[in-house]
Amino acid sequence: MKIVVLLGPPGSGKGTLAASLSEHLRLAVFVIGDALRAAIDAGSKLGLKVKSAVEAGRLVDDETILALAREFLRTHPEGVLLDGFPRTIRQAEGLRSLLSAEDDLHVIYLDASEETVTSRLSSRRVCPGCGEIYNMRFRPPKNDGVCDNCGVTLIRRKDDTEEVIRERYRVYLRETAPLVDYFADGLIRVDGNLSGDKALESVRGELCPA
Ligand code: AMP
């Protein structure tokens, strides 16, 4: 089974790259953040448990996240793209323990500066209907404030405020950046400052059979 991990700070373009790679590789994407936000919106037991951490930009506990990832891998034996997991060494170890020697693990690291990600996230808007991601400065919708695909009013994520963006970046440096060394062997580095198309171009050859 092919597993592609997308690693990088919040706002480095993981979501955009995951969406285009999933088409090219025909793999399902597991966006952990989306799963958590959906649980919060539904007011489920999981949602109530993770709400305060997600809205404050802190990480949810490893056990909860590993249980979600385990279930997604179990139900997608053909392979998956993982956007936002693992985010700690403990989660990375948990992922490794779920894989067998035949599994084909690729880790893509989107490297972007704090300045780039802060500026991207503060002008990011998302469509609550189809999940399309826009940027009011660099990739605005055609019609003010509504999604090009489905006409739904775009929203700003609760954790895309300046204060929470800063906290998320701090958490990234402390908890997730060490994974770049952890996965150093065979890591595919991508310049996270590139546009979505260029980022896709730079990894496609390494992941897709010719
Ligand atoms: P994201 O949409 O990937 O930026 O994730 C939004 C939020 O969900 C994060 O700020 C965390 O609160 C939580 N989250 C997402 N993925 C993980 C993870 N692998 N481990 C812990 N918390 C996570």
Side-chain angles (χ1 to χ4, degrees):
M1 129 168 173
K2 193 184 202 98
I3 318 267
V4 182
V5 167
L6 291 155
L7 196 64
S12 57
K14 298 189 295 296
T16 307
L17 184 58
S20 46
L21 268 180
S22 99
E23 252 179 58
H24 283 274
L25 299 173
R26 298 210 176 82
L27 290 179
V29 190
F30 185 34
V31 188
I32 300 241
D34 282 354
L36 299 172
R37 281 183 289 277
I40 294 170
D41 290 346
S44 68
K45 205 168 144 201
L46 170 67
L48 293 175
K49 184 172 162 191
V50 303
K51 187 175 167 42
S52 61
V54 171
E55 291 180 356
R58 297 190 311 270
L59 291 186
V60 171
D61 68 282
D62 290 329
E63 286 318 312
T64 302
I65 297 292
L66 279 166
L68 291 173
R70 204 175 295 124
E71 183 58 14
F72 195 80
L73 289 174
R74 191 185 66 76
T75 50
H76 294 80
E78 71 287 356
V80 292
L81 273 154
L82 298 171
D83 170 359
F85 171 84
R87 253 166 150 130
T88 64
I89 295 280
R90 174 112 198 285
Q91 292 177 17
E93 286 168 347
L95 171 63
R96 281 229 161 112
S97 75
L98 295 172
L99 304 182
S100 68
E102 295 82 60
D103 288 326
D104 186 18
L105 175 68
H106 301 266
V107 181
I108 299 174
Y109 168 46
L110 282 145
D111 186 7
S113 67
E114 179 172 8
E115 201 188 330
T116 301
V117 301
T118 309
S119 130
R120 271 192 195 153
L121 291 180
S122 53
S123 46
R124 175 165 76 176
R125 299 291 181 278
V126 293
C127 172
C130 68
E132 187 74 38
I133 304 165
Y134 295 88
N135 187 289
M136 300 317 271
R137 289 166 61 202
F138 312 116
R139 188 180 172 263
K142 290 193 190 89
N143 297 310
D144 210 18
V146 297
C147 179
D148 294 347
N149 301 334
C150 53
V152 170
T153 302
L154 303 179
I155 56 161
R156 182 175 188 170
R157 272 171 48 171
K158 278 208 176 117
D159 58 351
D160 278 349
T161 59
E162 210 176 300
E163 192 191 335
V164 182
I165 291 169
R166 242 183 271 121
E167 173 63 9
R168 287 160 65 204
Y169 195 78
R170 272 196 297 269
V171 169
Y172 167 77
L173 290 180
R174 193 176 65 231
E175 305 286 345
T176 313
L179 294 183
V180 175
D181 281 342
Y182 181 87
F183 286 118
D185 196 15
L187 190 80
I188 303 168
R189 263 175 204 270
V190 178
D191 181 353
N193 303 296
L194 294 176
S195 68
D197 288 351
K198 292 216 168 99
L200 173 65
E201 207 44 53
S202 75
V203 294
R204 215 166 49 171
E206 307 212 34
L207 293 174
C208 308

